[in-house]
Amino acid sequence: MDLISIRDLDRKNVEAILDSADAIADGKKRPDLKGRTLATLFFEASTRTKLSFQSAALHNGMGYVDLLPETSSLKKGESFADTIKTVEGYADVLVVRHPKEGSARLAADMIEKPVINGGDGANQHPTQTLIDLFSIRRYKKRIKGLNITLLGDLKHARTMRSLVYGLAMFGSEVTLVSPPGLEMEPNYLEEVRQKFGLKVSIKNEPDYSDADVLYVCRIQQERFADPYEAKRVMEKFMIRKDDLKNAKEDLVILHPLPKVNEIEVSIDSMKQAKYFEQAHFGVPLRQAVIEYVLSR
Ligand code: NCD
């Protein structure tokens, strides 16, 4: 199967993947996919998604091939379509990241092999959402009923769009906080509300004392029409250690990373800050995802 949007999974599917990732993370299971190959095709910058997919493939006993757009035949004018159709012959599963919304779906529609969306523009990033749900479940032992605050550029962040859907699926209570003008797209939110009866509040200022999980993302400057506007918002948007003085003892702070300057560096050493461990969970989680898509 392809994994293009978090909508491709229902709650049972997600739970199966999280359970499998738990078993892998705890050393109770190791998928054996010897002889299979993963391809990473990243048309947009990446550190965690690409490397953790490659690491996951190696841990599953697989090999991987990596297309580097800058030194590939794309430079000679080859199309995205021809590139995808070619790489299909070199791998059993393809991970595609691209700045244009819909590109992973386009790739999936062109080939038989499974395609995993590693992020398409401001649209979807399903495997990041699985990491986020996995992290929340490991730290909090549940997802349902938790008060989860999503803070940042909710207009352009694919991580936030995918995550709000995943949280709604599990019955979390979600608070959305963004700088003015960077609110989540109302139509998408309405879709999630109608489908799951999501309990959501929209605020201009976060209430840090209320949250069980604080999930932050950066201002997605590369998706702004006006770079000066992005810079202006970035200068004002920062969470300081002092802001968290009334936060719950067991607050969990997550972030898909990269962080730029939206989290004061001193927060990194607080016990509530879990984002580097969250990034590390990318390996067992993506091991489970690779196994899942290859088995369906
Ligand atoms: C995110 C992405 O690419 O959407 N990074 C990631 O995959 N961990 C977040 C971001 O770029 O802000």
Side-chain angles (χ1 to χ4, degrees), residues 15-168:
E15 278 171 343
I17 294 170
L18 302 190
D19 290 347
S20 166
D22 268 325
I24 295 167
D26 295 338
K28 295 182 185 143
K29 173 184 164 178
R30 184 172 187 165
D32 180 9
L33 296 168
K34 197 163 177 282
R36 306 282 193 100
T37 304
L38 175 97
T40 44
L41 302 96
F42 280 58
F43 299 83
E44 204 186 62
S46 172
T47 297
R48 280 148 288 271
T49 306
K50 183 157 110 169
L51 295 189
S52 64
F53 260 115
Q54 293 175 346
S55 177
L58 297 174
H59 279 90
N60 280 352
M62 306 166 71
Y64 70 83
V65 290
D66 185 28
L67 176 100
L68 295 169
E70 281 305 304
T71 52
S72 74
S73 286
L74 287 150
K75 284 281 156 200
K76 300 178 184 168
E78 189 169 30
S79 66
F80 176 72
D82 287 2
T83 306
I84 296 290
K85 287 180 201 160
T86 302
V87 177
E88 178 180 28
Y90 304 154
D92 301 283
V93 49
L94 282 68
V95 185
V96 177
R97 168 174 287 189
H98 198 285
K100 285 257 186 303
E101 291 81 13
S103 44
R105 178 77 68 201
L106 183 69
D109 288 347
M110 286 184 304
I111 62 172
E112 295 298 319
K113 301 264 174 73
V115 172
I116 301 173
N117 183 5
D120 63 324
N123 185 28
Q124 285 283 316
H125 195 348
T127 60
Q128 181 64 48
T129 293
L130 292 169
I131 296 171
D132 303 339
L133 296 173
F134 178 80
S135 306
I136 294 169
R137 210 178 72 158
R138 268 182 95 92
Y139 293 126
K140 294 287 186 189
K141 309 286 172 252
R142 67 190 170 112
I143 303 172
K144 188 182 162 87
L146 291 176
N147 189 340
I148 302 194
T149 296
L150 306 187
L151 173 62
D153 180 353
L154 306 185
K155 179 176 177 183
H156 301 107
R158 54 198 177 201
T159 51
M160 294 296 199
R161 276 169 68 90
S162 291
L163 180 56
V164 84
Y165 191 100
L167 292 172

Side-chain angles (χ1 to χ4, degrees), residues 215-285:
Y215 190 101
V216 187
C217 81
R218 71 186 169 94
I219 304 299
Q220 312 276 302
Q221 49 181 324
E222 69 277 30
R223 306 206 200 286
F224 276 64
D226 177 0
Y228 293 100
E229 175 62 10
K231 199 162 172 277
R232 194 188 61 76
V233 183
M234 280 171 77
E235 274 165 10
K236 283 209 278 183
F237 179 60
M238 188 200 245
I239 304 158
R240 298 193 159 74
K241 195 170 181 180
D242 206 39
D243 297 329
L244 300 172
K245 59 180 184 295
N246 296 324
K248 292 186 180 176
E249 265 295 291
D250 62 348
L251 172 73
V252 167
I253 307 173
L254 300 176
H255 192 307
L257 303 176
K259 60 184 173 66
V260 189
N261 52 3
E262 64 280 8
I263 291 194
E264 201 175 51
V265 175
S266 58
I267 292 179
D268 290 2
S269 52
M270 290 175 70
K271 67 175 189 326
Q272 289 103 328
K274 304 289 191 195
Y275 28 84
F276 290 108
E277 195 175 30
Q278 174 193 5
H280 298 162
F281 288 150
V283 176
L285 190 282

